DNA sequence: CCGATGACCAAAC
DNA sequence: TGTTTGGCCATCG
């Protein structure tokens, strides 16, 4: 919570409904910084705020392997599946079905 | 206190 | 059309 940008990211991630996922680039774009996708992940890893569903934020391909440092392997997937998010056979989130649209809620 | 790195993405060559 | 480099903010060392 040291920066205002950080706050913006949290606000956007917080408005992602259960059963939907958002990409780092999407969140960054909504925050007004299209090239600040890295900061989003960094902020999530550094903050880990319980009010911010970091597990609903995935990379552009729907992969969550990069989160193994913060989330144990399979933990994030279990949370998303519990919320109704569908996964592909390759272990990535089905963005075609569960990608969150910023225009809805 | 300063330098380097990082849960990434998109534009440019 | 594919590959490479740049960039943004925060956190770690």
């Amino acid at each position: 919570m040291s920066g205002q940008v950080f706050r913006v990211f949290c606000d956007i991630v917080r408005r992602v409904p259960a059963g939907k996922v958002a990409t780092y680039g999407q969140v960054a774009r909504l925050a007004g910084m299209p090239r600040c996708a890295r900061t989003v992940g960094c902020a999530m890893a550094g903050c880990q705020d319980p009010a911010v569903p970091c597990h609903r934020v995935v990379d552009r391909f729907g992969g969550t392997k990069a989160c193994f440092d913060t989330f144990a392997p399979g933990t994030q997937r279990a949370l998303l599946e519990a919320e109704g998010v569908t996964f592909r056979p390759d272990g990535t989130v089905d963005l075609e079905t569960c990608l969150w649209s910023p225009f809805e809620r």
Side-chain angles (χ1 to χ4, degrees), chain A residues 12-96:
Chain A
I12 295 179
V13 176
R14 254 185 303 191
R15 71 186 192 182
V16 177
K20 295 282 180 180
V21 293
T23 64
Y24 298 104
Q26 197 169 13
V27 175
R29 194 182 306 196
L30 292 172
M33 302 176 210
R35 292 170 182 118
C36 203
R38 290 179 111 183
T39 315
V40 178
C42 235
M44 298 292 114
C47 192
Q48 270 190 13
D49 197 313
V52 182
C54 323
H55 57 274
R56 287 182 203 156
V57 185
V58 295
D59 61 50
R60 225 245 163 248
F61 301 97
T64 63
K65 54 185 177 185
C67 312
F68 281 5
D69 189 58
T70 25
F71 291 102
T75 303
Q76 188 172 11
R77 174 167 179 168
L79 288 168
L80 292 173
E81 285 186 316
E83 292 181 349
V85 177
T86 56
F87 276 76
R88 284 184 167 179
D90 57 328
T92 57
V93 179
D94 193 348
L95 297 175
E96 289 293 310

Side-chain angles (χ1 to χ4, degrees), chain A residues 1-2 18 22 51 66 81 87 93 95 98 100 104:
Chain A
M1 308 214 177
S2 305
E81 285 186 316
F87 276 76
V93 179
L95 297 175
C98 299
W100 172 59
E104 55 174 86

